[in-house]
Structures are given as C-alpha cells and as structure tokens.
Amino acid sequence: MQNDTKKQLEIELDKYLENMGDFTPYYPGMNVLSSELYKEQLRVVSELIKKRSEADASSFELYLDTIIVNMHTKVKKYKKSIYFDSENIKDIENQGHTIVFYIDEKNNKYVLLGIIKANVES
C-alpha cells in the first residue's frame, strides 16, 4: 500500500512542479497551497472521524488548521518525509495521520500534497 501512496504523492508533486493541476491557497492570501489529492483525502478523513464523533472531528480540524497556519514558523522541526528522499518534502504527524508537504523555497510556498492515515503506511 505504501507504494500506491508514494505514487499518488509523486503525481501531485509533479503536477505542482509542472504548473499543472489546481493548487489553491489553504486560506485566501496564504502561501500554503492544497493539492486536489490533499483536499480529497482530508474530506474522507473528516467524514470518517465525524461518523465516530462530531466533537472529535471538530478537534481534529481545529488542531490541523493550527498546525498548517503556523507551519512556516516550525518547518525545520518537521522530519524528512518517509515517502521521498528530499529535505524539501516533510511529514507532519497529527492524531494518527501524516500530512506530507513540499517546501518550494524559490517561490516561498508550502504545498500540502496529501494526508495519510498511519495504518495505511504499514
């Protein structure tokens, strides 16, 4: 399963690097962009958590927002991604999920490539 996940992330990164695909700001005016894969995976994750508990879903989304809004100040603390051999691609762990993002130093952008549930990686 990890190879499929890696392939999906690679496709999203290639789309960004080739100026293809729809990468929208996480919030208007932010230098954090969301890939289509990230948005779809987040929707699925949120729905699954919401089925268990509305409160857990709200907590997850609030904490995730806090991490992403502040990620530019803590980028050095995040570990290199397990999916890529690049210091410009990092993983953020959040409540059993891994958020994979790319650091575009040239354009001062952070690109959310995907969000993966931890047990999918095994």
Side-chain angles (χ1 to χ4, degrees):
M1 186 62 108
Q2 188 172 10
N3 285 339
D4 291 342
T5 301
K6 182 176 178 359
K7 188 67 178 163
Q8 287 180 308
L9 295 169
E10 287 172 344
I11 289 168
E12 291 305 302
L13 179 59
D14 287 345
K15 284 181 191 175
Y16 175 76
L17 294 174
E18 296 171 11
N19 291 320
M20 299 173 70
D22 184 25
F23 293 85
T24 56
Y26 190 77
Y27 283 123
M30 278 186 83
N31 66 339
V32 177
L33 305 177
S34 302
S35 71
E36 287 299 316
L37 177 64
Y38 174 84
K39 289 183 270 191
E40 176 59 21
Q41 289 174 330
L42 179 60
R43 185 189 63 73
V44 170
V45 166
S46 295
E47 286 177 5
L48 290 173
I49 295 171
K50 204 174 280 185
K51 283 181 183 176
R52 279 193 327 244
S53 164
E54 289 278 340
D56 287 350
S58 287
S59 172
F60 177 82
E61 290 170 9
L62 180 62
Y63 189 65
L64 183 62
D65 276 353
T66 302
I67 289 171
I68 291 170
V69 165
N70 294 305
M71 70 190 287
H72 67 284
T73 64
K74 299 178 180 178
V75 74
K76 298 269 189 235
K77 90 170 199 164
Y78 298 120
K79 65 182 179 173
K80 185 171 111 175
S81 179
I82 64 170
Y83 298 101
F84 295 89
D85 185 24
S86 170
E87 290 298 325
N88 286 343
I89 304 176
K90 307 267 186 171
D91 290 344
I92 301 172
E93 302 297 325
N94 178 36
Q95 300 178 14
H97 295 81
T98 302
I99 298 105
V100 182
F101 71 97
Y102 169 69
I103 305 163
D104 180 352
E105 293 176 338
K106 180 180 174 187
N107 296 305
N108 191 32
K109 303 249 187 239
Y110 303 92
V111 183
L112 303 170
L113 299 174
I115 181 168
I116 300 113
K117 184 149 177 63
N119 68 3
V120 172
E121 297 166 6
S122 308

